[in-house]
């Protein structure tokens, strides 16, 4: 079933949308600072575990095993959640999910819900749907709050306000938070404190919470939310009713499988040994937490994605955001240029697949929003070969558009994004597309679109390391 | 045939689409479990203390016999007046000169919010990641108890400490409500840099008793 929601209406195709971002030097400075900080930290957190590569392989295989029997795992999850007092709902698309949630909120007699940051609810545009139904959704994650108060759009899957620096955040808080003191400084600690006071009463009085889920265990029905601030715990613990929205691919077969993901995720996302809080709950526990628990299982384009044997690996994604943080294109354009709640390398392969429409210029432009340098694959904790999927989707775009491709325009724009066309070309030649498609150490003929370059030059396939070394020396 | 029940038809349609997408020949996937379940660390209690301290939490190692005194000292230093505890908080942990409110009958959210802090034990602690796991079992109480107060003092027994995440999960019962706590509440949302103190307890102190 094709997904709805996913992209923002009216967003221009990537090359044009990126131009606005490139003109915004403040935005580029903010992004550069944040992504570079986190890259180095991630590398250090990962280097601590000698078995990191083995964990990645296990993580990828667990996710593949889930996808190979997704129906079976979902039915087991449903049975386990139901046995522990939860109620499971199925939603074919965004509209159906939103309607289910609105009905549940109304049944609980609430006109306001507190929300834990969740990509699934951003994808389906839940806040807007609730607002139309007369229900206010209060974002409680700090970065989501910054986006909501600033009437802005998210630009990163983990830190949606990554494009805002501390001074801008202070201005938004001063303007939009009645409780913020006029003397509020831009010290991050003070800003966090202001958010604490702003939301405290909401947490203590909320009756309904809406969350996403990082994982759900088919065996036991246990649902997992990984977070930092404690806003997640507040939402998962204090209200009477909890509604969790989860993409169908988030299920894992057994409790033991979490031993892999609870190591891969925090080190890849916030570069910590462990995130401050991880909550696990199973159905309803008398005397502890919500009295009603609803789990909404969301398709919204995922089954279409599953049908593509190359593209389906995008469904392994655990939303760590490492691929965004390591991407030289994302670093320059920011997330909003991708026109979707899923920006960056994962967005470039997930958004078009969830939408299922590769003839529309906007999603069709996304597989070109990459230099195929391979940094995203290198950092991905579940080994999604993003460059390979990008190339595959480019061929699907050409098919869908009757042989016409946005390649020339997209490539020219990308070269411009990378500022130095010579450097970009070198990246292309040395990049992982070459690695990927090389036969016997020489690239003589690439399938489309690489064929356009290889017909002009017959280049030796460089070892991957040398490209990485090259990139480290040359990266912006 | 159209099913009149939207729930049933959504369910069967999604499952049907999954089956169609996978096709008749389901890939058989072997999961390589050759990662480290246990890693060699020497003294895990020492490692736990170091790793918790990395999160800017206060950690003290004490002999089991000195635990009550150590609790009293930490509470006196913070000048707390009202402390919360689970219904089964050990008698000897309840330091004098502090008003103890146990969660029996269950405290209201206002009562949780008015207290200066909460004292609990834990289920398991993970040395490598500096993590304490609460499972609502002995001396821990329900989840809200360790969430609403701004100060959490947690007692870890040396025999509750394991080295790795896999070792910890093997000890836990997933159907209990679980909370993994790694340092005080924090955020990375401002310029991707970790700062402590948002909605959960802003101060975490840990006593490791051996
Ligand atoms: S694609 Fe991989 S690196 Fe990117 S967010 Fe998903 S799991 Fe993380």
């Amino acid at each position: 079933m094709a997904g709805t929601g996913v992209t923002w209406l009216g967003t221009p195709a990537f090359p044009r949308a990126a131009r606005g971002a490139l003109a915004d030097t403040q935005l580029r400075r903010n992004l550069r600072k944040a992504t570079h900080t986190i890259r180095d930290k991630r590398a250090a957190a990962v280097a601590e575990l000698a078995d990191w590569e083995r964990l990645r392989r296990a993580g990828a295989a667990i996710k593949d095993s889930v996808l190979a029997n997704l129906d079976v795992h979902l039915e087991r999850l449903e049975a386990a959640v139901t046995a522990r007092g939860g109620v499971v709902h199925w939603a074919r698309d965004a509209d159906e999910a939103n309607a289910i949630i609105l009905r549940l909120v109304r049944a609980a007699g609430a006109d306001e819900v507190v929300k834990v940051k969740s990509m699934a609810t951003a994808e389906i545009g839940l806040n807007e749907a609730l607002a139309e139904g007369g229900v206010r959704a209060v974002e409680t994650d700090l970065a989501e709050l910054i986006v909501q108060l600033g009437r802005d759009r998210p630009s990163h899957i983990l830190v949606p306000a990554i494009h805002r620096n501390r001074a801008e955040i202070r201005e938004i808080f001063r303007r939009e938070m009645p409780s913020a003191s006029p003397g509020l400084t831009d010290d991050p600690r003070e800003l966090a404190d202001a958010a604490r006071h702003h939301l405290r009463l909401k947490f203590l009085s909320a009756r309904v919470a809406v969350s996403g889920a990082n994982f759900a265990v088919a065996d036991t029905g246990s649902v997992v939310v990984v977070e930092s601030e404690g806003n997640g715990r507040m939402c998962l613990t204090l209200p009477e009713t909890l509604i969790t929205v989860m993409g169908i691919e988030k299920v894992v077969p057994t409790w033991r499988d979490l031993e892999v993901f609870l190591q891969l995720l925090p080190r890849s996302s916030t570069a910590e040994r462990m995130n401050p809080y991880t909550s696990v709950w199973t159905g309803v526990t008398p005397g502890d937490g919500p009295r009603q628990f609803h789990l909404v299982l969301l398709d919204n384009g995922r089954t279409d994605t599953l049908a593509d044997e190359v593209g389906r690996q995008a469904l392994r994604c655990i939303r760590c955001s490492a691929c965004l943080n390591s991407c030289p294109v994302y670093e320059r354009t920011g997330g909003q240029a991708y026109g979707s709640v899923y920006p960056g390398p994962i967005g470039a392969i997930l958004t078009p697949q969830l939408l299922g429409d590769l003839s529309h210029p906007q999603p069709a432009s996304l597989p070109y929003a990459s230099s195929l340098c391979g940094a995203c694959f290198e950092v991905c904790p579940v080994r999604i070969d993003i460059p390979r999927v990008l190339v595959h989707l480019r061929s699907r775009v050409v098919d869908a558009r009757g042989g016409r491709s946005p390649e020339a325009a997209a490539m020219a724009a990308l070269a411009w994004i990378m500022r130095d066309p010579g450097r970009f070309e070198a990246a292309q030649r040395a990049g992982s597309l070459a690695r990927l498609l090389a036969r016997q150490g020489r690239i003589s003929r690439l399938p489309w679109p690489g064929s356009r370059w290889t017909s002009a030059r017959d280049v030796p396939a460089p070892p991957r390391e040398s490209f990485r070394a090259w990139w480290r020396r040359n990266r912006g | 045939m159209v099913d009149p029940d939207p729930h049933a038809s959504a369910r069967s349609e999604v499952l049907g689409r999954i089956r169609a997408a996978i096709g008749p020949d389901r890939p058989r996937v072997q999961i390589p479990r050759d990662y480290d379940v246990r890693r060699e660390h020497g003294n895990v209690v020492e490692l736990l203390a170091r790793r918790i301290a990395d999160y800017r939490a206060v950690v003290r190692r004490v002999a089991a016999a000195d635990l009550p005194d150590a609790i009293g000292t930490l509470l006196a230093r913070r000048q707390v007046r009202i402390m919360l505890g689970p219904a089964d908080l050990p008698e000897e942990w309840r330091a004098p000169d502090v008003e103890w409110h146990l969660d029996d009958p269950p405290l209201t959210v206002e009562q949780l919010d008015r207290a200066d802090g909460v004292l609990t034990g834990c289920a398991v602690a993970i040395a490598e990641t500096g993590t304490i796991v609460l499972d609502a079992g002995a001396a821990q109480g329900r989840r809200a108890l360790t969430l609403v107060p701004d100060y959490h003092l947690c007692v870890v027994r040396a025999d509750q400490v394991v080295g790795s995440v896999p070792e910890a999960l093997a000890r836990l019962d997933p159907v209990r409500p679980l909370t993994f706590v790694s340092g005080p509440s924090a955020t990375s949302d401002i310029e991707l840099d970790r700062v402590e103190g948002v909605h959960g307890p802003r101060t975490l102190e840990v006593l490791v008793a051996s």
Side-chain angles (χ1 to χ4, degrees), chain B residues 34-89:
Chain B
D34 56 350
Y35 52 83
D36 303 336
V37 168
R38 205 158 285 158
R39 301 185 183 99
E40 208 34 69
H41 289 301
N43 188 336
V44 286
V45 172
E46 211 176 280
L47 181 65
L48 175 75
R50 273 207 318 274
R51 293 280 156 98
I52 294 178
D54 280 350
Y55 297 125
R56 289 186 276 259
V58 173
V59 196
R60 298 255 183 290
R61 295 184 56 191
V62 295
D66 300 334
L67 191 56
D69 280 350
I71 292 171
T73 307
L74 285 178
L75 295 184
R77 210 185 54 180
R78 286 187 64 84
Q79 302 181 307
V80 299
R81 239 171 22 82
I82 303 174
M83 279 296 280
L84 308 179
D88 63 343
L89 189 75

Side-chain angles (χ1 to χ4, degrees), chain A residues 1 33-34 38 41 49 51 54-55 58 61-62 65 67-71 74-75 78 84 88 90 92 96 140-143 159 162 165-166 188-189 192-193 195-196 199-200 203-204 222 228-229 231 233-234 237 255 257-260 263 272-280 282 287-289 303-304 307 312, chain B residues 6-7 9-11 13-15 17-19 21-22 26-27 29-37 39 51 54-55 109 113 128-129 131 136 142-144 146-148 150 165-166 169 172 174-202:
Chain A
M1 163 125 343
K33 177 159 183 263
I38 198 77
K41 283 201 210 157
L49 298 187
D51 60 338
R54 280 170 278 155
L55 285 167
I62 292 168
S65 78
L67 296 177
N69 288 291
L70 187 57
D71 52 341
L74 288 171
E75 286 182 304
E78 179 186 44
R84 307 282 307 185
V88 175
W90 299 74
R92 282 166 280 207
E96 191 161 38
T140 66
D141 174 81
L142 181 52
V159 186
I162 195 173
N165 66 20
R166 56 186 75 188
R189 206 169 295 264
D193 220 44
R196 178 183 172 98
L199 289 171
R200 187 85 182 162
F203 285 133
L204 301 187
S222 312
S228 293
E229 298 164 19
N231 60 314
R233 293 178 69 192
M234 289 278 179
T237 314
W255 172 243
D257 295 323
L258 289 177
E259 72 188 19
V260 175
Q263 296 192 79
E272 295 167 295
R273 295 186 179 114
M274 194 64 100
N275 50 290
Y277 300 128
T278 296
S279 294
V280 182
T282 308
D288 190 340
T303 48
D304 274 356
R312 67 166 61 131
Chain B
H7 170 83
S9 57
R11 182 182 189 280
E13 190 174 328
V14 172
L15 288 172
R17 292 187 62 92
I18 291 169
R19 288 174 192 132
I22 300 171
R26 299 195 167 204
V29 183
Q30 284 296 324
I31 298 167
R33 300 273 184 186
D34 56 350
Y35 52 83
D36 303 336
V37 168
R39 301 185 183 99
R51 293 280 156 98
D54 280 350
Y55 297 125
V109 171
D113 195 32
E128 280 177 5
T129 58
T131 304
R142 65 191 165 113
R143 287 172 289 171
T146 50
L147 171 62
V148 179
D150 202 11
V165 172
L169 294 202
L172 291 163
V175 301
R176 303 182 70 94
L178 303 176
T179 308
F180 293 61
V181 177
S182 306
S185 147
T187 181
S188 301
D189 281 359
I190 301 166
E191 301 173 6
L192 271 175
D193 216 1
R194 178 165 169 150
V195 290
E196 285 76 29
V198 200
H199 305 293
R202 286 180 288 187

Side-chain angles (χ1 to χ4, degrees), chain A residues 296-316:
Chain A
V296 181
L297 299 175
L298 175 72
D299 180 346
N300 206 39
R302 286 161 177 77
T303 48
D304 274 356
T305 309
L306 184 64
D308 183 323
E309 278 180 36
V310 177
R312 67 166 61 131
Q313 57 186 303
L315 297 175
R316 287 190 209 143

Side-chain angles (χ1 to χ4, degrees), chain A residues 157 317-323 346 380-382 384 386:
Chain A
I157 58 176
C317 175
I318 56 173
R319 311 281 189 263
C320 72
S321 76
C323 60
I346 180 61
C380 178
V382 286
I384 299 172
I386 296 177

Side-chain angles (χ1 to χ4, degrees), chain A residues 375-406:
Chain A
C376 48
F377 173 59
E378 247 176 66
V379 296
C380 178
V382 286
R383 295 177 53 87
I384 299 172
D385 196 341
I386 296 177
R388 174 154 184 245
V389 180
L390 286 166
V391 171
H392 168 73
L393 291 177
R394 287 178 187 185
S395 71
R396 276 186 56 191
V397 166
V398 176
D399 290 346
R401 292 169 63 86
R404 279 183 309 117
S405 94

Side-chain angles (χ1 to χ4, degrees), chain A residues 78-88 282-285 290-294:
Chain A
E78 179 186 44
V81 169
T82 309
R84 307 282 307 185
V87 182
V88 175
T282 308
V284 174
T285 306
R291 274 179 275 182
Q292 288 201 45
F293 170 54
H294 296 274

Side-chain angles (χ1 to χ4, degrees), chain A residues 174-403:
Chain A
R174 272 194 186 155
R175 208 173 54 227
E176 303 289 338
M177 258 184 201
S179 61
S181 109
L184 184 68
T185 75
D186 64 3
D187 175 5
R189 206 169 295 264
E190 265 190 55
L191 296 171
D193 220 44
R196 178 183 172 98
H197 287 112
H198 176 71
L199 289 171
R200 187 85 182 162
L201 202 66
K202 295 258 186 245
F203 285 133
L204 301 187
S205 61
R207 295 170 58 193
V208 179
V210 177
S211 86
N214 292 94
F215 309 99
V217 181
D219 254 3
T220 62
S222 312
V223 183
V224 184
V225 163
V226 172
E227 55 134 352
S228 293
E229 298 164 19
N231 60 314
R233 293 178 69 192
M234 289 278 179
C235 293
L236 302 172
T237 314
L238 295 181
E240 284 162 27
T241 301
L242 171 62
I243 304 166
T244 298
V245 187
M246 180 188 118
I248 49 176
E249 80 283 18
K250 296 282 166 216
V251 62
V252 297
T254 68
W255 172 243
R256 187 185 170 194
D257 295 323
L258 289 177
E259 72 188 19
V260 175
F261 297 111
L262 289 184
Q263 296 192 79
L264 289 174
L265 180 54
R267 289 178 197 261
S268 299
S269 64
T270 47
E272 295 167 295
R273 295 186 179 114
M274 194 64 100
N275 50 290
Y277 300 128
T278 296
S279 294
V280 182
W281 74 96
T282 308
V284 174
T285 306
D288 190 340
R291 274 179 275 182
Q292 288 201 45
F293 170 54
H294 296 274
L295 182 63
V296 181
L297 299 175
L298 175 72
D299 180 346
N300 206 39
R302 286 161 177 77
T303 48
D304 274 356
T305 309
L306 184 64
D308 183 323
E309 278 180 36
V310 177
R312 67 166 61 131
Q313 57 186 303
L315 297 175
R316 287 190 209 143
C317 175
I318 56 173
R319 311 281 189 263
C320 72
S321 76
C323 60
L324 281 68
N325 299 336
S326 65
C327 177
V329 175
Y330 175 87
E331 177 193 329
R332 285 165 173 79
T333 63
Q336 294 178 353
Y338 295 78
S340 157
V341 296
Y342 299 110
I346 180 61
I349 62 170
L350 190 60
T351 303
Q353 295 199 84
L354 289 180
L355 282 170
D357 179 9
L358 288 161
S359 61
H360 187 281
Q362 201 278 333
S365 71
L366 293 176
Y368 297 87
S370 167
S371 67
L372 302 177
C373 81
C376 48
F377 173 59
E378 247 176 66
V379 296
C380 178
V382 286
R383 295 177 53 87
I384 299 172
D385 196 341
I386 296 177
R388 174 154 184 245
V389 180
L390 286 166
V391 171
H392 168 73
L393 291 177
R394 287 178 187 185
S395 71
R396 276 186 56 191
V397 166
V398 176
D399 290 346
R401 292 169 63 86

